[in-house]
Amino acid sequence: MKTFWPRFLSNPRVFLGLVWLGLLLIVAITANQLAPIDPFAIVGRPMAAPSPEFWLGTDSLGRDVMAGLIHGTRATILIAVVATLIAVGFGTFVGAVAGYYGGLIDDILMRFTEFFQTIPSFLFAIVLIAVLTPSALNLIIAIATVSWPPIARVVRGEVLTVKSREFVQAAVLAGQGDAAILLKQVLPNTLSPLIVTGSLLIATAILVESALSFLGLGAPNVMSWGFMIGAGRSFLRQAWWLVTIPGVAILLTVLAINLIGEGLNDTLNPRLSDL
Amino acid sequence: MTDVALSIQDLQVALPAWSDRQRAVAGVSLDIRREEILCIVGESGSGKSMMGKAILGLLPGPHVRAVGGQILFEGRDLLKLSAEELRAIRGCRIAMIFQEPMTALNPLMRVGQQIEEVLELHTDMTQAQRRARVLELIRDVHLPEPERMVQSYPHQLSGGQRQRIVIAMALALEPALIIADEPTTALDVTTQAQILHLIKELQRAHGTAVLFITHDFGVVAEIADRVAVMRHGEVVEQGRVSDVLEAPEADYTKALVAAVPGLKPRVIEPDAKSKVLLRVTNLEKTYRTSTGWFGAKTREVQAVKNISLDLKRESSIALVGESGSGKSTLARCIIGLESVDGGVIELDGERISGRTRAELRPLRKHIQMVFQDPYASLNPRQRVGDIIALGPTLNGVSREQALEEARELLRLVGLKPDAVDRYPHEFSGGQRQRIGIARALAVKPKLIVADEPVSALDVSVQKQVLDLLNDLRKSFGLSLLFITHDLRVAATVCEEIAIMQRGEIVEHGPTADIFAAPTHPYTRSLFDAVPGRDWISSLG
Amino acid sequence: MSSGSLGGYIVRRLTQTLPVILGVVIVNFLLLQLAPGDLATVLAGEAGGAPKEYIDELRARFGQDQPVYIQLFYYMRNLLVLDLGFSFRLGAPVLDLLLDRLWPTLLLMVATLIVSLGLGIVMGLLAALWVRTWKDTVISVAAIIVYATPLFWVGLMLILVFSIRLNWFPTSGMEDVVAFHEGWDRVVDIAHHLVLPTVTLSLFYLALYARLMRASMLEQRGLDYVVTARAKGQSERKITTRHVFRNALLPVVTMAGVQTGGLLGGSVVLEAIFAWPGLGQLAFQSLFARDYNLLLGIFFLSAVLVVIVNLIVDVIYVFLDPRIRIG
């Protein structure tokens, strides 16, 4: 384990990803200091091109794009991370219980998971938010609801493998209870695939969040990158930067997370690395 | 030199920079003569497999590669050939048989087609001629129903059948040399005997030279004309098989031969106790695997059929059987990892079968287990001390005391007490197995169930672990239920033997009696299948 | 294996899909319960538009005065005879609206599937063959960037470049309705409109399949049977085409089946951007008209569509992998 960090950080892709994410994190935390104005405030003439006053120009209502981008960072990342954490928590619970207890419980839970995997998930998220009315909380609920099945499947598969290893039987023979075996013997050994899947899930969550916000199903009164693209969409002809800039932000962020996730995978499961 | 099929001279195979050795093969020189079987014998890490792969240029490059020496074959140095020239030799003049018949065949291609591929590559035969030749080959390796066999996919065949297909593939063009890399290691004993017999028969019939790589001196005795012993990438001794086996010269060879478990049955000691510790009566266990939704359909396998067995205090029984005989299921039922469908298991007169997991928990400490796989039996994320101390702490011993006892146990099994603070990956396979034994002893059990505890270990380590188990058994006054596929190991460890086949005990009695006069045909076939039987018996 | 039992296999897989359909119906019903207002008002289109008599009739038909499970029973009975209700917003039965919009979406999906799967497999194959050369790096880096790009943004960028600046392709719609093309001209016109939406929707999946195919090829190339083939004297090229390729294809086919749902989801965004007159656009419209019944009808039909595609993938799989037991 001690060789993890040097190997992980020596991967240039991971390093680039971490640099970008670190930057975003700083922006998200200091958003109010970096851009003290309300991102919804009208500060200039509509659709001004990038200039020294407004670095990234203004949108169709005269709002500062730079301020929107900065505040959008916070909303986008927060919603994606919280939704992912919920999905990982729920998915791990379902997968661990199904894999460990097996039998009928496994059957029921896995049919349940398969159901959520089969139905068109993005459409389901749309329907959920439409019915629940758009809000930050409902956005998180919808993203988490459609994100947990892969986690459940990964955890179940890992639990099944680990469970069949002999050290788990040894723990049974030592008289350890089921819950303790699951928590202390089995789950710690499923961590690396869980971390990899979970980190990649944040990227998916950002894509889903921005697509929902783009359609106008995002949290009202919260500036987010997807919302900015949706709002700028009708003015593609006149002000291309309204759409282009937030899109690049999404792209770079998702890319950074994917690079880090893959770096984690290469470091934690060095399988294909020396082919 | 005309009788030499292949000559290896000062072969050097480099390992990647980050491994603990520089060379997998360090200066090996060997001659393989025509019409002979040369066995390369060695333990894991001896470089024997790498040498075999180097001949055909099949090393897992780019980091592992031959960096020096010559491999002379039919007047050419194989190491200097172009890829094109080497391909013309592969499968045609030199063929190969692999260890894992389960993965050596393409799962999506019919086996007939996979054999035919060799003919397609190296001959101008018409399709009809190729088909006929494939059928002939399948007959040669004694597979049933050749017409149906060619149409089969690998997953439809048993391990032994697949290995026969691979052999047929190797034989297709009557090569001058066949390299067989542990071809029977993944097979059951009786299947192993058949495959060894087949290789020998075909080798004699076609006059092929065979380079046979193995870790098992029994196999060497069974099949080899000459033998070379490898260690750390070097040949430590080579010669005629009778010379090396009867009168080994190198110390390493002597140690290896001495470590081979003999077929000398252990006898019941005169002061043996007669009180029964474990009594199994009419035990039944059936596995039901459900397919389809919510177990709509079930498939049943009766793994244990009506088994009764008594194990006396401070004595031992070996359960011997091949894979699928139900020996492991029986053990898992006794130890309470598996519920039983019928019958009774009693320990010290107390019924232990049919209890819930919670009811069983207080009784767990009386029966402990030593597992097969030293790499899977220790939690990689826990310290050795915590692994050993788990049982005692759950039984109410304080952590400090449990760790103190763990240090003492580690000393007893021949490890340093400071191992408590280290993680399993810092230990070798044999050392891990010692840790596993220490864990089993930690709760002071009455009965130890050992499930193939040495089958994953090298032969020299095997002997050490078996000796340790034997010493501890005496000093702790333990009873032992020993599960193994290997009659030789069973004979050294246990004074009683039960032979299992298809879920039933077909023969049971004192080891000495069964060895003197096996009565059941299956027992006899197991004896016949022991590789190098005559030589092993002569070890005395 | 034997083709005789393939029919039986399909029937058995069909019966296994019934619970999924049933599940979707139940989820739909629960969502209707969650929506503001009672079932009848929701069904009639929340913000009014339906005559009061119709709402009263709906109340009676769905047993609003009866326990929830009876309501569920009524709801299921209606769905099972494909009575999906009436959209007062659009003044047509939901089923008619859906069937009308199904074909454009199917056309888009099939085009996307062919492009993304075909190109993705080829790209992945090439990257694996060129592994650790600059060509592999180019493909892999391109794939990982495309894989991170939001679909709707790609669509807008393509419109910006190819429609607005270059004027090569139309910005929206499925055909030029005022041109009244017929026959072959109409096919060409639709194909012309189809290019940008298909490219947009394909890019992400193309990247996904290319990455998967590359990884799968590399994994398979390390397996024992490849060493066996090499020991036979087979050339590396033939090993790839005869042995590795087909084995490596299996996870890609599985993934293509899994991604059908995602493809449909993507088409909502896509059709909203390109004004493609399919189910996705209808969903987008019903969303803002708060026509929940229509929205849930689309969801139901999409789920059925996914189930059917999964079934087709399963059948294809039987032919690709002899280890699948169908008997």
Side-chain angles (χ1 to χ4, degrees):
Chain A
M1 273 335 253
K2 41 188 159 180
T3 57
F4 172 79
W5 285 107
R7 273 202 296 159
F8 182 55
L9 292 176
S10 67
N11 182 339
R13 293 177 167 196
V14 169
F15 188 75
L16 285 177
L18 283 176
V19 167
W20 176 251
L21 272 203
L23 208 72
L24 282 191
L25 214 60
I26 294 169
V27 168
I29 291 168
T30 59
N32 289 333
Q33 286 74 40
L34 284 176
I37 49 160
D38 178 358
F40 286 95
I42 292 166
V43 292
R45 114 191 124 73
M47 284 191 276
S51 65
E53 191 188 355
F54 304 112
W55 287 3
L56 300 177
T58 60
D59 73 359
S60 58
L61 296 175
R63 299 178 289 209
D64 185 1
V65 173
M66 187 74 193
L69 210 57
I70 288 170
H71 286 270
T73 309
R74 177 183 271 187
T76 306
I77 289 186
L78 199 66
I79 287 173
V81 168
V82 173
T84 303
L85 285 180
I86 295 173
V88 167
F90 186 71
T92 305
F93 176 76
V94 171
V97 169
Y100 188 74
Y101 288 98
L104 190 63
I105 296 176
D106 183 28
D107 257 355
I108 294 170
L109 288 178
M110 277 304 110
R111 293 292 102 84
F112 183 67
T113 310
E114 270 166 29
F115 171 75
F116 274 89
Q117 238 179 355
T118 309
I119 58 174
S121 62
F122 186 69
L123 209 54
F124 185 52
I126 291 178
V127 174
L128 259 183
I129 295 181
V131 171
L132 295 175
T133 68
S135 73
L137 179 67
N138 288 339
L139 197 56
I140 289 173
I141 291 175
I143 297 173
T145 308
V146 299
S147 307
W148 65 270
I151 295 280
R153 294 188 76 106
V154 166
V155 171
R156 173 179 177 269
E158 284 298 310
V159 167
L160 277 179
T161 330
V162 175
K163 190 180 81 164
S164 69
R165 295 225 208 120
E166 292 166 343
F167 70 80
V168 176
Q169 297 168 16
V172 173
L173 294 183
Q176 205 166 26
D178 281 339
I181 290 176
L182 187 53
L183 284 175
K184 291 183 186 163
Q185 309 277 356
V186 178
L187 282 182
N189 283 292
T190 65
L191 269 183
S192 35
L194 184 61
I195 289 171
V196 171
T197 321
S199 65
L200 293 174
L201 207 58
I202 299 180
T204 319
I206 291 180
L207 287 177
V208 174
E209 190 276 338
S210 57
L212 288 170
S213 301
F214 170 78
L215 289 179
L217 291 172
N221 305 320
V222 176
M223 189 55 82
S224 81
W225 296 339
F227 170 80
M228 292 171 77
I229 298 177
R233 178 190 154 197
S234 320
F235 310 100
L236 204 52
R237 233 172 252 278
Q238 301 90 327
W240 56 270
W241 59 89
L242 295 182
V243 165
T244 311
I245 291 166
V248 172
I250 297 174
L251 196 167
L252 287 179
T253 310
V254 173
L255 182 62
I257 295 171
N258 283 342
L259 290 177
I260 293 169
E262 278 179 16
L264 276 173
N265 192 30
D266 291 348
T267 321
L268 293 172
N269 318 309
R271 203 164 40 99
L272 287 171
S273 52
D274 47 45
L275 248 166
Chain B
M1 286 296 277
T2 48
D3 67 332
V4 173
L6 180 106
S7 175
I8 301 174
Q9 282 161 16
D10 194 31
L11 179 67
Q12 309 271 350
V13 174
L15 282 172
W18 57 83
S19 41
D20 49 357
R21 283 192 292 155
Q22 279 193 318
R23 294 273 186 273
V25 178
V28 165
S29 298
L30 281 174
D31 283 348
I32 303 154
R33 297 181 194 138
R34 287 182 208 287
E35 303 189 21
E36 81 165 359
I37 298 181
L38 173 67
C39 269
I40 308 292
V41 65
E43 297 189 292
S44 50
S46 61
K48 58 188 193 299
S49 239
M50 290 295 178
M51 194 196 69
K53 291 204 171 81
I55 296 172
L56 278 182
L58 294 175
L59 289 171
H63 302 293
V64 182
R65 59 187 204 283
V67 289
Q70 289 181 311
I71 301 176
L72 299 174
F73 177 74
E74 296 183 342
R76 291 188 290 178
D77 180 0
L78 295 184
L79 294 179
K80 294 211 171 66
L81 295 187
S82 70
E84 202 64 37
E85 290 167 320
L86 200 55
R87 267 209 301 279
I89 289 177
R90 287 176 185 165
C92 179
R93 301 303 301 151
I94 304 179
M96 196 144 180
I97 306 169
F98 300 92
Q99 174 171 359
E100 264 300 337
M102 294 302 178
T103 52
L105 295 169
N106 181 345
L108 302 185
M109 204 189 246
R110 295 179 200 278
V111 295
Q113 214 182 334
Q114 298 195 47
I115 300 176
E116 208 183 315
E117 202 180 1
V118 185
L119 304 173
E120 234 171 276
L121 277 165
H122 301 285
T123 70
D124 302 326
M125 287 178 167
T126 63
Q127 193 176 35
Q129 286 171 321
R130 290 199 302 261
R131 293 273 154 85
R133 176 70 181 138
V134 169
L135 287 175
E136 191 187 343
L137 282 165
I138 286 184
R139 252 174 247 125
D140 282 352
V141 295
H142 308 305
L143 280 168
E145 300 179 71
E147 280 80 8
R148 200 177 56 86
M149 198 54 76
V150 292
Q151 294 297 323
S152 305
Y153 287 99
H155 73 277
Q156 296 166 309
L157 310 181
S158 70
Q161 287 176 324
R162 288 187 218 192
Q163 200 59 302
R164 283 170 195 267
I165 294 288
V166 177
I167 292 172
M169 214 185 271
L171 275 176
L173 293 166
E174 308 220 343
L177 172 67
I178 292 179
I179 301 165
D181 188 358
E182 303 251 15
T184 58
T185 308
L187 304 173
D188 266 331
V189 209
T190 44
T191 318
Q192 160 168 293
Q194 291 161 9
I195 296 289
L196 288 178
H197 185 77
L198 177 71
I199 291 177
K200 191 145 190 163
E201 171 198 320
L202 295 170
Q203 184 262 342
R204 293 284 182 258
H206 298 273
T208 323
V210 174
L211 181 71
F212 195 106
I213 297 162
T214 182
H215 66 281
D216 187 339
F217 268 98
V219 171
V220 175
E222 187 76 33
I223 199 169
D225 297 312
R226 284 195 315 127
V227 58
V229 183
M230 278 186 75
R231 184 193 199 190
H232 299 331
E234 292 170 28
V235 172
V236 295
E237 180 165 4
Q238 58 173 313
R240 285 162 46 84
V241 69
S242 49
D243 296 345
V244 174
L245 292 186
E246 308 296 334
E249 280 175 7
D251 290 342
Y252 180 66
T253 318
K254 281 180 194 160
L256 279 187
V257 169
V260 172
L263 273 174
K264 189 176 165 219
R266 192 183 170 118
V267 289
I268 298 175
E269 278 152 46
D271 59 339
K273 308 265 194 309
S274 57
K275 191 160 178 276
V276 170
L277 175 70
L278 175 81
R279 170 161 287 166
V280 176
T281 324
N282 303 332
L283 195 71
E284 301 271 350
K285 173 73 192 174
T286 303
Y287 283 114
R288 291 179 180 82
T289 38
S290 56
T291 51
W293 283 66
F294 299 106
K297 280 180 197 160
T298 55
R299 215 171 335 162
E300 295 195 354
V301 180
Q302 208 179 351
V304 170
K305 299 176 200 160
N306 194 24
I307 281 188
S308 299
L309 194 70
D310 280 356
L311 176 60
K312 298 193 186 74
R313 210 170 264 283
E314 295 185 34
S315 71
S316 64
I317 296 182
L319 290 175
V320 180
E322 297 183 289
S323 55
S325 62
K327 58 186 194 302
S328 284
T329 307
L330 177 57
R332 290 172 61 83
C333 287
I334 289 170
I335 201 139
L337 284 173
E338 207 77 70
S339 63
V340 304
D341 295 328
V344 178
I345 303 169
E346 290 159 296
L347 186 77
D348 253 351
E350 196 173 359
R351 182 181 173 133
I352 55 171
S353 56
R355 289 174 183 249
T356 65
R357 286 177 84 133
E359 289 168 348
L360 205 53
R361 215 159 278 150
L363 296 170
R364 293 269 193 214
K365 62 170 183 279
H366 299 309
I367 312 181
Q368 285 295 305
M369 188 148 178
V370 177
F371 296 93
Q372 175 174 9
D373 184 351
Y375 292 88
S377 62
L378 305 176
N379 188 341
R381 290 182 186 266
Q382 287 185 338
R383 288 174 204 275
V384 168
D386 291 323
I387 291 173
I388 299 175
L390 178 67
T393 44
L394 288 171
N395 281 299
V397 179
S398 75
R399 197 181 127 81
E400 290 71 33
Q401 199 193 333
L403 281 179
E404 196 43 55
E405 286 173 11
R407 285 196 187 86
E408 182 54 35
L409 281 167
L410 284 169
R411 211 188 334 262
L412 267 176
V413 297
L415 293 173
K416 291 203 183 99
D418 63 8
V420 287
D421 295 320
R422 293 161 67 189
Y423 285 94
H425 69 88
E426 300 173 50
F427 298 90
S428 70
Q431 289 173 323
R432 286 167 188 237
Q433 212 54 319
R434 288 166 190 269
I435 296 170
I437 292 171
R439 167 176 61 193
L441 293 177
V443 288
K444 305 179 182 72
K446 297 171 181 167
L447 170 65
I448 294 239
V449 177
D451 187 0
E452 303 263 14
V454 295
S455 65
L457 304 176
D458 273 331
V459 65
S460 55
V461 186
Q462 232 178 51
K463 183 166 164 52
Q464 295 163 8
V465 171
L466 288 178
D467 287 347
L468 173 70
L469 211 53
N470 204 25
D471 293 345
L472 293 172
R473 220 186 100 194
K474 281 184 192 138
S475 51
F476 280 74
L478 293 170
S479 302
L480 181 67
L481 189 65
F482 193 94
I483 292 132
T484 180
H485 68 283
D486 191 336
L487 268 176
R488 298 174 293 177
V489 172
T492 7
V493 177
C494 297
E495 54 269 19
E496 254 186 79
I497 281 188
I499 309 282
M500 285 191 72
Q501 185 194 21
R502 293 192 210 102
E504 288 172 294
I505 292 180
V506 295
E507 187 160 5
H508 177 200
T511 310
D513 296 357
I514 292 186
F515 271 57
T519 55
H520 195 274
Y522 180 67
T523 315
R524 283 201 291 271
S525 75
L526 275 185
F527 272 98
D528 290 340
V530 171
R533 185 174 69 261
D534 299 336
W535 171 67
I536 288 173
S537 309
S538 73
L539 286 174
Chain C
M1 244 57 52
S2 60
S3 58
S5 53
L6 188 62
Y9 174 74
I10 294 173
V11 169
R12 211 167 49 249
R13 290 288 292 109
L14 263 177
T15 56
Q16 282 174 9
T17 63
L18 283 180
V20 177
I21 308 284
L22 210 66
V24 172
V25 173
I26 293 172
V27 167
N28 268 358
F29 177 77
L30 291 176
L31 287 169
L32 284 173
Q33 299 283 323
L34 275 176
D38 77 348
L39 191 69
T41 39
V42 174
L43 282 179
E46 194 215 358
K52 187 171 179 312
E53 305 82 66
Y54 181 75
I55 293 182
D56 288 340
E57 191 211 314
L58 272 181
R59 286 219 170 88
R61 236 175 94 202
F62 286 95
Q64 283 299 292
D65 44 351
Q66 294 181 46
V68 176
Y69 65 90
I70 301 278
Q71 295 179 34
L72 175 64
F73 173 74
Y74 283 128
Y75 183 76
M76 279 163 70
R77 195 190 54 191
N78 287 336
L79 270 189
L80 289 181
V81 295
L82 286 177
D83 175 4
L84 298 176
F86 192 84
S87 168
F88 280 91
R89 291 274 169 191
L90 298 170
V94 169
L95 187 64
D96 293 356
L97 284 169
L98 293 185
L99 291 181
D100 193 34
R101 298 295 195 101
L102 179 61
W103 302 111
T105 297
L106 276 184
L107 177 65
L108 191 59
M109 274 181 66
V110 170
T112 303
L113 211 61
I114 292 171
V115 172
S116 61
L117 212 48
L119 280 180
I121 288 170
V122 171
M123 289 301 198
L125 180 70
L126 290 177
L129 288 179
W130 292 329
V131 69
R132 274 199 295 242
T133 65
W134 64 270
K135 295 179 204 161
D136 169 37
T137 312
V138 168
I139 294 179
S140 299
V141 169
I144 196 167
I145 291 174
V146 170
Y147 189 64
T149 316
L151 181 83
F152 52 94
W153 186 72
V154 175
L156 293 172
M157 287 298 113
L158 289 178
I159 290 178
L160 182 63
V161 175
F162 292 103
S163 301
I164 296 178
R165 306 269 173 215
L166 297 173
N167 208 10
W168 289 358
F169 296 103
T171 54
S172 65
M174 188 168 85
E175 54 186 320
D176 196 348
V177 278
V178 289
F180 299 107
H181 290 300
E182 273 180 26
W184 188 244
D185 287 345
R186 190 172 171 221
V187 173
V188 172
D189 185 39
I190 291 180
H192 192 213
H193 280 79
L194 189 60
V195 173
L196 282 190
T198 306
V199 170
T200 308
L201 196 52
S202 297
L203 273 177
F204 173 83
Y205 294 100
L206 199 163
L208 175 71
Y209 299 142
R211 283 158 55 86
L212 188 62
M213 185 69 189
R214 177 180 180 274
S216 177
M217 288 281 301
L218 293 182
E219 185 182 335
Q220 291 290 331
R221 234 165 50 174
L223 294 185
D224 286 355
Y225 72 85
V226 175
V227 184
T228 309
R230 215 168 272 152
K232 281 180 197 173
Q234 190 60 278
S235 67
E236 294 301 313
R237 176 173 292 273
K238 273 282 184 65
I239 289 175
T240 304
T241 52
R242 282 190 76 159
H243 295 279
V244 177
F245 180 73
R246 202 168 143 200
N247 278 289
L249 210 54
L250 295 179
V252 180
V253 172
T254 309
M255 183 54 95
V258 171
Q259 290 297 332
T260 340
L263 209 58
L264 274 166
S267 73
V268 179
V269 180
L270 191 87
E271 292 178 12
I273 294 172
F274 286 97
W276 189 263
L279 286 174
Q281 198 198 30
L282 190 64
F284 188 63
Q285 291 163 347
S286 60
L287 194 60
F288 289 95
R290 297 182 159 255
D291 193 342
Y292 294 132
N293 190 38
L294 180 55
L295 189 57
L296 290 173
I298 295 169
F299 179 55
F300 176 71
L301 182 66
S302 304
V304 173
L305 218 57
V306 171
V307 165
I308 292 172
V309 173
N310 280 342
L311 190 70
I312 295 172
V313 169
D314 282 350
V315 172
I316 293 174
Y317 216 94
V318 169
F319 288 101
L320 283 179
D321 189 347
R323 284 166 295 187
I324 302 289
R325 268 205 310 230
I326 58 173

